[in-house]
């Protein structure tokens, strides 16, 4: 393949530490597989599966959409917004450079929201592609800002 997503099939069932050198593909590469996919294909896997990305070798831009499913009380990450968008220094540890957001419309920005939970302000994409913001009460938003120093806890 051209690089990108790779996986160790069955590793979600393992009960031992990953062998040294496997994390960077130097050793045990025979167990690391890259699924053959076409545009529009979907790859589903457990978060417990050893996975990563091989170096991208193609001249064509690599794109992917990452969806995580979890109960609202244990979302995996805060969001993919930059610190200046989230208004918190803690956001920089889980964000992309600000320039990534420069040309995105409201609907594209809505896709980058963290996993849904009723505690979050939420942009909802309407049928016509416009975006409607659903907000929590002022009291709840102020609580998160005061206690967690971020708009999301």
């Amino acid at each position: 393949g051209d690089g990108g997503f790779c996986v160790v099939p069955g590793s979600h069932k393992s009960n031992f530490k990953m062998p040294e050198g496997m994390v960077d593909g130097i050793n045990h590469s025979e167990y690391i597989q890259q699924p053959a996919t076409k545009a529009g294909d979907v790859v589903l896997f457990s978060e417990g599966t050893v996975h990563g990305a091989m170096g991208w070798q193609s001249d064509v831009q690599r794109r992917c959409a990452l969806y995580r499913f979890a109960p609202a009380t244990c979302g995996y990450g805060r969001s993919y917004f930059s610190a200046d968008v989230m208004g918190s220094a803690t956001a920089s540890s889980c964000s992309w450079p600000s320039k990534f957001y420069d040309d995105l419309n409201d609907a594209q920005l809505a896709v980058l929201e963290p996993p849904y939970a009723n505690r979050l302000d939420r942009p909802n994409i309407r049928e016509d592609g416009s975006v409607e913001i659903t907000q929590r009460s002022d009291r709840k938003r102020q609580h998160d800002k005061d206690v967690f120093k971020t708009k999301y806890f």
Side-chain angles (χ1 to χ4, degrees):
D2 290 328
F5 179 77
C6 61
V7 64
V8 178
S11 57
H12 64 290
K13 298 178 183 179
S14 67
N15 194 19
F16 52 88
K17 187 177 178 181
M18 189 175 4
E20 192 166 324
M22 182 178 257
V23 72
D24 51 19
I26 293 172
N27 296 324
H28 311 289
S29 60
E30 66 272 21
Y31 299 107
I32 301 170
Q33 295 182 14
Q34 185 175 24
T37 58
K38 301 180 302 286
D41 283 355
V42 175
V43 178
L44 300 173
F45 61 97
S46 163
E47 73 280 1
T49 304
V50 175
H51 64 281
M54 295 180 175
W56 193 244
Q57 305 297 319
S58 176
D59 292 334
V60 177
Q61 185 180 40
R62 175 183 173 219
R63 291 189 178 197
C64 68
L66 173 63
Y67 292 92
R68 295 178 173 144
F69 297 93
T73 56
C74 61
Y76 185 82
R78 296 194 190 283
S79 76
Y80 304 106
F81 289 117
S82 64
D84 56 323
V85 173
M86 284 186 66
S88 167
T90 59
S92 62
S93 64
C94 62
S95 63
W96 298 335
S98 295
K99 69 179 182 177
F100 282 28
Y101 312 102
D102 288 347
D103 297 323
L104 300 181
N105 63 36
D106 288 342
Q108 291 167 328
L109 286 169
V111 172
L112 295 179
E113 284 288 316
Y116 175 76
N118 60 7
R119 69 182 185 275
L120 304 177
D121 295 342
R122 192 78 194 164
N124 297 295
I125 304 172
R126 295 184 181 129
E127 292 279 332
D128 65 2
S130 65
V131 175
E132 171 188 35
I133 304 296
T134 305
Q135 288 190 323
R136 301 167 300 146
S137 71
D138 290 340
R139 183 187 62 79
K140 289 182 179 181
R141 286 186 285 144
Q142 188 62 47
H143 171 75
D144 283 357
K145 186 176 179 182
D146 293 344
V147 174
F148 303 108
K149 309 295 185 230
T150 182
K151 84 181 223 185
Y152 300 125
F153 65 82

